[in-house]
Amino acid sequence: DGGITQSPKYLFRKEGQNVTLSCEQNLNHDAMYWYRQDPGQGLRLIYYSQIVNDFQKGDIAEGYSVSREKKESFPLTVTSAQKNPTAFYLCASSRTGGEQPQHFGDGTRLSIL
Amino acid sequence: AQSVSQHNHHVILSEAASLELGCNYSYGGTVNLFWYVQYPGQHLQLLLKYFSGDPLVKGIKGFEAEFIKSKFSFNLRKPSVQWSDTAEYFCAGYEADKLIFGTGTRLQVFP
């Protein structure tokens, strides 16, 4: 079955360390997205990529970085510059950047110790 | 800037009660609206979507939503909820290649 795989499901890191969250899709979708979900704030867009080797900042990109070297992969790095990184991170994809809806992964819960 | 707002943050219902969750959007132009559901421990799933045409949209699991342009609303409804509808519900709008989500409504249904 096609879908989006996020790993790991739970991630713990010490303060000051960078950490990379994995997102892989086998849907052959061009566009991929990263969201952050916080209680009472819904989902907020961090970064998105409409095509390989290209990505744009979303609404809350500060303290995060991404790469899109392969169509199926869109890893997100949470850097030490992110002031409040503890959150639930969701990856999504859509066939093209202009086509909806998006398909979502199961998420990664990141906790900073 | 466009925004999507959900005013009900937490709704508690008994089984068989009717449900209406509010969603308002604040932008013009082409309107594309969605309702997503997140069941406990599961990923976000699309419930229904509105792009154009009939303003009453039917989705999965007996849900429907009505797009009312004059009220800038896209409320989600279900005539009779079940315990299995316990989940978090997100309204979203799409513009300029981005989905904008509301803050979500947590629905708890008790048997």
Side-chain angles (χ1 to χ4, degrees):
Chain A
D1 279 343
I4 299 175
T5 302
Q6 288 188 244
S7 60
K9 203 173 180 70
Y10 300 96
L11 191 55
F12 298 90
R13 279 295 181 270
K14 290 184 181 178
E15 202 167 331
Q17 286 183 332
N18 291 357
V19 60
T20 298
L21 282 60
S22 167
C23 177
E24 304 277 329
Q25 54 100 359
N26 61 4
L27 298 164
N28 200 32
H29 284 176
D30 283 332
M32 296 186 75
Y33 311 80
W34 273 106
Y35 294 91
R36 173 181 169 138
Q37 186 178 8
D38 295 284
Q41 296 196 53
L43 280 74
R44 293 179 290 169
L45 182 65
I46 304 172
Y47 267 99
Y48 64 108
S49 166
Q50 297 194 357
I51 201 163
V52 174
N53 292 324
D54 185 51
F55 49 82
Q56 289 83 38
K57 292 182 179 180
D59 300 317
I60 54 166
E62 187 175 345
Y64 299 97
S65 66
V66 293
S67 63
R68 187 85 189 276
E69 296 174 5
K70 297 186 294 182
K71 186 175 184 177
E72 59 270 22
S73 178
F74 191 41
L76 173 75
T77 297
V78 185
T79 75
S80 56
Q82 167 50 234
K83 292 183 172 52
N84 185 19
T86 294
F88 190 59
Y89 291 88
L90 283 167
C91 180
S93 72
S94 60
R95 202 161 66 154
T96 67
E99 186 169 306
Q100 297 296 321
Q102 295 174 10
H103 300 260
F104 286 82
D106 288 340
T108 293
R109 186 165 296 282
L110 173 64
S111 298
I112 301 298
L113 306 174
Chain B
Q2 58 125 322
S3 68
V4 174
S5 59
Q6 295 178 244
H7 302 296
N8 315 108
H9 298 295
H10 191 188
V11 173
I12 301 173
L13 294 172
S14 298
E15 273 193 323
S18 64
L19 170 72
E20 181 160 3
L21 301 182
C23 173
N24 289 92
Y25 64 94
S26 65
Y27 57 91
T30 304
V31 175
N32 295 335
L33 296 165
F34 308 82
W35 275 98
Y36 282 86
V37 61
Q38 188 175 33
Y39 297 104
Q42 296 187 28
H43 59 265
L44 273 170
Q45 301 171 40
L46 181 69
L47 265 182
L48 46 80
K49 61 186 177 185
Y50 171 79
F51 285 174
S52 63
D54 189 343
L56 185 62
V57 181
K58 302 238 183 255
I60 60 171
K61 306 189 182 190
F63 286 92
E64 66 178 30
E66 186 173 10
F67 170 63
I68 303 179
K69 190 174 181 179
S70 61
K71 295 185 179 180
F72 296 91
S73 69
F74 189 56
N75 292 357
L76 181 71
R77 300 195 293 246
K78 187 171 184 178
S80 175
V81 294
Q82 301 171 311
W83 175 78
S84 58
D85 292 324
T86 293
E88 190 149 16
Y89 293 81
F90 294 92
C91 182
Y94 178 71
E95 191 177 71
D97 295 337
K98 291 191 288 185
L99 266 181
I100 307 296
F101 284 88
T103 52
T105 297
R106 186 172 169 225
L107 172 65
Q108 281 184 288
V109 180
F110 289 96

